[in-house]
Amino acid sequence: MTRFMGCLVLFSLTGFCFSLEVFADEATHPNNMIPLPAEIIWQEGKLPLNAFLQLTLTGVKEPRVEVATNRFTDRLAKRTGNLAGSTEGPTLTIDCKAKGLPIQSVREDESYNLTVTPKGGFLSAANPLGTLHGLETLLQLVEKGDQGYSIPCVTIHDKPRFLWRGLLIDACRHWMPIEVIKRNLDGMAEAKMNVFHWHLSENQGFRVESKLYPKLQEMGSDGNFYTQEQIKEIITYARDRGIRVIPEFDIPGHTTAWFVGYPELAAAPGSYQIERKFGVFDPAMDPSKEEVYKFLDGFIGEMAGLFPDEYFHIGGDEVNGKQWNQNPEIQRFMAKQGLKTNEDLQAYFNKRLEKILAKHHKKMMGWDEVLNSDLPKDVLVQSWRGIDGLADAAKKGYDTILSNGYYLDLALPASIHYAADPLPAKSDLTPDQRAHVLGGEACMWSEFVNPETVDSRVWPRTLAVAERLWSPASVQNLDDFYNRMEVEGPRLEELGLTHRSNYLPMLKRLAGNTDVNPLKVLADVVEPLKNYQRHRWGAYNSDYPLDRLADAARPESDSAHLFRKSVNSYLKEAPAFGDLKDLIAPLENWKENHQALKPLLEMSDLLVDVLPQSQDLSSAAQVGLEAIHYLKSGQPAPASWQEKAKQILDRAQEYHAEVQIAVIPAIRKLVLAAGQLDKLKGMSVTDWNKSLDDQVQAAKPKEWD
Ligand code: ACM
């Protein structure tokens, strides 16, 4: 029997747009899929996995499908303990109807259909890309019950909402060896992301071997660069996972590392050293020199042969123009060409560059600053400064992708990324203009990450971007997303990602030979500062070790998330406050922790600046316990107590050690509730909670989220 569970069908007022959202029946189907498929039709029963699935490949033969099937088999075997290659047991038929393009293209069909019955599974797709996605879905469906592993019976029709679902990794500000790239490509494949944007040149490093201009990597990389063989290896690895690789060589600014070996490219005389600090710097290429275009022609020609994708990213962001202003040759050149501003000069540069790229059969891609020109319409604009840049590009007829809202380096909660939509409901774009919005990319800039910590900044939060870009626009249930992320996030470590497993070793290193647990209690509830706040500490550069509490702490604390959920459900029961143990136990733990942790903090150079946070967590927890006491009593807390509690919580929100205590807002909600119990007489519990949430939000420092 077929059942539609909680099915919600939306017809847009414009008539033609149709989207379907089906939520799982939580009781019978713990739906952990991320991104949520376009259409899910749950069926009765399960496909038991007490023997291994026997695989049959039908349709065309493509190595990618075979390789993906082997990966699937390995992962399933590891998860269920059943050995692959058995000749008994249920079947899985994989029908791939046609070969993919030799070079994966942005418009290739990625859809698939999956049916699971008690006897077996059937996966069909028009193209290997759909097959790969379907296999990931199948793995996400595997569940463990009393009778062992199984897959619930289901029919899924799935396809992406957006064509371009990317992740940028900056391999320059901190070097990222190929193991880092490979394991993140695995994570991307699981999340059905299809573009790896590789940021390969910066002030702080030039990261690719050039045979034509070897001083680029020899002098501009500290020896940390990818050989051409390694680049090819990554491109093959990515293709096997349905992922395109777009290189970015950021010019004309962000180019100090180029000038160490080739100072003649710069708009001011050298010598140059690799930049160690972070920020926007003056060095820029000289757009008035023919030699620069000759060099770029040679370089782009060489790289065009290495990177097969049709797009080539030339950066184009954050040129401060100082070197151009100070160079009389450039000023004369601008006057002669009738170029009035530095933006005009950069537009001239981009036009020359676009011709070079076209000569090498590449389409140009750039950050939204490149839009300031009359470039050909096949240039792709990546919007980072705001969603308006995206709309502007689409209105002018350019294809465009969104990265504003998807900056992982800002250490924001997944909910913020989940809410950022390339085509939000309020978008005023016409259907033609909407067709130019190809998707988006999460961006992992690497000022504050290194190979040890990068996974924990990319995952699991990138799942929010992956779902926003794959699933229908109507998929908006944030709680449901977080529930699924709680299951799929840890599972990503099956692929070799280290976003969770590196946490305790980092804390143990900080704890030295003392008990790590008190440090973990604190680390579990703090988050690194957000929105570029860590730059305010000023000491950071690309050599500075990222080995402090702010580096070990996760951008989004699970414990804080759980505590907030507990506070919310507790306060929804007002005025008959229910079971308190989910609240009291952690508060007691935080309150007591400072005494246990203090000796370690006092003796450690790396931790001594955490002392105020530890003390503040303890004081805030004490206040939280007092708030519960008042709530249980049913009597509003006295004004003097409210004032004292407010002071404690305000102090606990101050910055120390580059971390913020993520449970303070939830404790504040308890405190406000205790002080405002009498308001319940005049308003509904829902409105009361909403009013408390608004006050909590207003009390947060504006940089918090
Ligand atoms: C950028 O963040 N400057 C693209």
Side-chain angles (χ1 to χ4, degrees):
M1 190 180 77
T2 302
R3 288 177 298 151
F4 279 77
M5 306 307 306
C7 170
L8 172 69
V9 183
L10 298 172
F11 289 93
S12 101
L13 288 179
T14 49
F16 306 107
C17 170
F18 171 85
S19 78
L20 178 68
E21 181 180 326
V22 183
F23 288 109
D25 174 345
E26 291 285 320
T28 51
H29 300 291
N31 174 2
N32 299 320
M33 290 177 281
I34 296 189
L36 206 59
E39 193 181 336
I40 309 167
I41 305 160
W42 295 107
Q43 315 278 1
E44 293 284 4
K46 284 175 186 214
L47 167 63
L49 294 176
N50 41 19
F52 204 81
L53 288 174
Q54 298 179 70
L55 294 172
T56 313
L57 298 185
T58 62
V60 296
K61 284 250 173 293
E62 233 222 50
R64 267 188 300 180
V65 174
E66 285 172 38
V67 173
T69 308
N70 290 341
R71 281 200 309 274
F72 169 84
T73 310
D74 280 354
R75 286 167 67 192
L76 191 63
K78 275 193 192 131
R79 194 140 359 128
T80 61
N82 289 325
L83 291 180
S86 59
T87 51
E88 288 172 19
T91 56
L92 172 63
T93 305
I94 299 172
D95 183 38
C96 178
K97 296 198 189 312
K99 291 193 172 189
L101 296 173
I103 297 169
Q104 190 178 327
S105 133
V106 66
R107 295 190 189 274
E108 242 171 302
D109 189 338
E110 297 183 274
S111 66
Y112 67 93
N113 296 306
L114 176 65
T115 306
V116 179
T117 70
K119 294 207 164 61
F122 184 69
L123 168 62
S124 76
N127 178 306
L129 299 176
T131 312
L132 267 50
H133 296 319
L135 288 171
E136 294 294 347
T137 300
L138 204 48
L139 278 168
Q140 292 186 350
L141 282 164
V142 173
E143 60 191 45
K144 188 169 188 305
D146 298 343
Q147 330 253 297
Y149 288 92
S150 63
I151 302 178
C153 293
V154 70
T155 302
I156 287 175
H157 303 294
D158 202 5
K159 63 175 196 277
R161 177 175 170 218
F162 289 105
L163 299 168
W164 193 296
R165 305 175 308 280
L167 170 66
L168 174 153
I169 295 183
D170 171 3
C172 302
R173 291 176 173 93
H174 278 95
W175 166 238
M176 299 291 160
I178 58 167
E179 313 83 78
V180 173
I181 306 299
K182 282 188 177 172
R183 63 191 193 227
N184 278 282
L185 287 167
D186 283 322
M188 289 175 69
E190 167 143 2
K192 301 187 174 64
M193 298 178 89
N194 65 358
V195 180
F196 172 49
H197 175 158
W198 209 350
H199 188 76
L200 287 166
S201 72
E202 251 309 331
N203 299 308
Q204 294 81 1
F206 190 96
R207 303 294 182 203
V208 177
E209 174 191 29
S210 167
K211 300 196 182 192
L212 207 52
Y213 301 113
K215 284 190 282 179
L216 285 171
Q217 75 275 6
E218 283 168 11
M219 298 179 72
S221 76
D222 299 308
N224 289 326
F225 64 90
Y226 307 103
T227 64
Q228 296 203 355
E229 282 314 304
Q230 287 175 320
I231 299 274
K232 287 181 202 155
E233 189 185 331
I234 290 292
I235 290 167
T236 305
Y237 194 90
R239 178 176 165 79
D240 280 347
R241 286 154 182 78
I243 298 169
R244 302 161 46 216
V245 177
I246 314 274
E248 181 188 350
F249 295 97
D250 198 351
I251 52 180
H254 289 268
T255 35
T256 311
W258 299 61
F259 303 155
V260 185
Y262 298 94
E264 62 274 20
L265 300 174
S271 63
Y272 288 86
Q273 260 78 54
I274 295 173
E275 181 59 66
R276 306 288 163 194
K277 299 204 195 77
F278 300 132
V280 175
F281 298 95
D282 300 348
M285 287 186 179
D286 184 344
S288 73
K289 269 194 195 158
E290 278 311 305
E291 300 91 286
V292 169
Y293 300 104
K294 201 158 162 273
F295 183 102
L296 289 174
D297 187 13
F299 176 75
I300 289 169
E302 184 185 14
M303 292 301 131
L306 191 57
F307 292 95
D309 199 84
E310 63 183 319
Y311 284 95
F312 195 99
H313 202 303
I314 57 89
D317 57 321
E318 297 181 312
V319 184
N320 72 14
K322 286 192 188 159
Q323 284 198 342
W324 294 351
N325 296 340
Q326 286 156 10
N327 180 326
E329 290 291 328
I330 293 179
Q331 295 305 309
R332 268 197 291 281
F333 177 83
M334 287 173 72
K336 197 161 141 224
Q337 296 284 337
L339 305 170
K340 294 198 173 49
T341 63
N342 286 337
E343 286 73 29
D344 294 343
L345 181 60
Q346 193 175 347
Y348 169 90
F349 177 79
N350 286 340
K351 267 188 274 181
R352 297 280 309 261
L353 204 55
E354 195 279 331
K355 288 205 175 64
I356 295 171
L357 287 164
K359 176 179 148 194
H360 297 292
H361 312 291
K362 295 291 178 195
K363 288 186 187 165
M364 179 167 150
M365 182 172 167
W367 297 105
D368 50 29
E369 286 95 330
V370 304
L371 191 58
N372 199 354
S373 66
D374 53 346
L375 286 167
K377 291 290 188 257
D378 65 354
V379 170
L380 193 144
V381 177
Q382 182 163 13
S383 166
W384 72 281
R385 291 181 297 179
I387 184 112
D388 291 350
L390 183 95
D392 194 24
K395 284 177 184 167
K396 291 191 168 112
Y398 291 94
D399 282 348
T400 179
I401 60 167
L402 184 67
S403 280
N404 181 265
Y406 299 147
Y407 267 33
L408 302 169
D409 56 319
L410 301 183
L412 297 168
S415 54
I416 301 277
H417 305 311
Y418 203 66
D421 192 324
L423 283 172
K426 64 178 188 324
S427 164
D428 66 350
L429 298 183
T430 64
D432 280 354
Q433 292 164 351
R434 294 168 83 91
H436 285 299
V437 178
L438 302 188
E441 281 183 6
C443 293
M444 185 67 263
W445 300 108
S446 64
E447 282 92 339
F448 289 103
V449 290
N450 61 15
E452 184 179 40
T453 60
V454 63
D455 297 1
S456 70
R457 276 50 185 160
V458 176
W459 307 104
R461 294 175 308 142
T462 293
L463 293 174
V465 183
E467 176 148 304
R468 182 53 54 236
L469 297 176
W470 177 282
S471 304
S474 54
V475 174
Q476 294 288 348
N477 185 330
L478 191 62
D479 290 341
D480 181 56
F481 168 75
Y482 268 88
N483 289 340
R484 286 179 286 116
M485 185 169 73
E486 265 168 38
V487 180
E488 268 319 306
R491 271 193 187 175
L492 283 163
E493 287 211 331
E494 276 179 11
L495 301 164
L497 285 161
T498 61
H499 52 295
R500 291 165 65 89
S501 59
N502 72 1
Y503 179 56
L504 207 52
M506 288 184 81
L507 293 180
K508 283 190 173 158
R509 195 170 61 212
L510 281 167
N513 55 3
T514 68
D515 176 14
V516 71
N517 283 317
L519 183 61
K520 184 171 178 302
V521 169
L522 178 66
D524 280 352
V525 297
V526 297
E527 294 174 356
L529 295 187
K530 314 202 175 281
N531 285 317
Y532 302 123
Q533 287 301 304
R534 288 190 74 187
H535 285 285
R536 289 202 324 190
W537 262 253
Y540 285 101
N541 62 40
S542 53
D543 296 329
Y544 197 89
L546 297 172
D547 57 359
R548 292 175 176 255
L549 186 63
D551 303 300
R554 313 285 101 170
E556 184 164 22
S557 153
D558 288 344
S559 304
H561 181 69
L562 281 179
F563 184 71
R564 186 166 58 247
K565 265 175 45 177
S566 301
V567 167
N568 285 341
S569 37
Y570 175 63
L571 292 176
K572 275 194 191 118
E573 290 174 32
F577 295 108
D579 189 3
L580 304 174
K581 78 178 177 314
D582 290 353
L583 294 184
I584 289 181
L587 286 167
E588 295 277 11
N589 195 15
W590 299 332
K591 183 186 145 200
E592 302 302 332
N593 193 58
H594 181 57
Q595 279 317 314
L597 182 56
K598 203 166 156 229
L600 168 64
L601 303 185
E602 281 173 344
M603 59 134 238
S604 162
D605 285 349
L606 284 173
L607 289 170
V608 69
D609 54 354
V610 183
L611 267 167
Q613 303 294 69
S614 175
Q615 171 66 66
D616 287 349
L617 175 65
S618 171
S619 312
Q622 167 68 33
V623 159
L625 289 165
E626 288 165 13
I628 289 176
H629 167 79
Y630 286 116
L631 285 165
K632 276 199 308 192
S633 78
Q635 297 303 315
S640 57
W641 176 85
Q642 290 181 53
E643 184 49 37
K644 191 194 87 197
K646 179 179 179 310
Q647 280 169 15
I648 288 171
L649 296 179
D650 287 352
R651 197 184 59 222
Q653 283 186 167
E654 286 168 12
Y655 301 147
H656 303 278
E658 301 170 58
V659 292
Q660 59 195 45
I661 307 175
V663 289
I664 297 302
I667 296 178
R668 193 184 293 276
K669 189 167 176 187
L670 286 174
V671 164
L672 290 166
Q676 296 174 28
L677 267 178
D678 51 347
K679 286 200 185 157
L680 268 171
K681 294 193 191 102
M683 58 172 45
S684 70
V685 174
T686 307
D687 288 349
W688 183 66
N689 270 282
K690 163 107 185 37
S691 149
L692 297 173
D693 287 334
D694 290 346
Q695 294 172 66
V696 168
Q697 191 60 28
K700 271 193 211 170
K702 69 177 180 342
E703 306 87 7
W704 270 38
D705 54 33

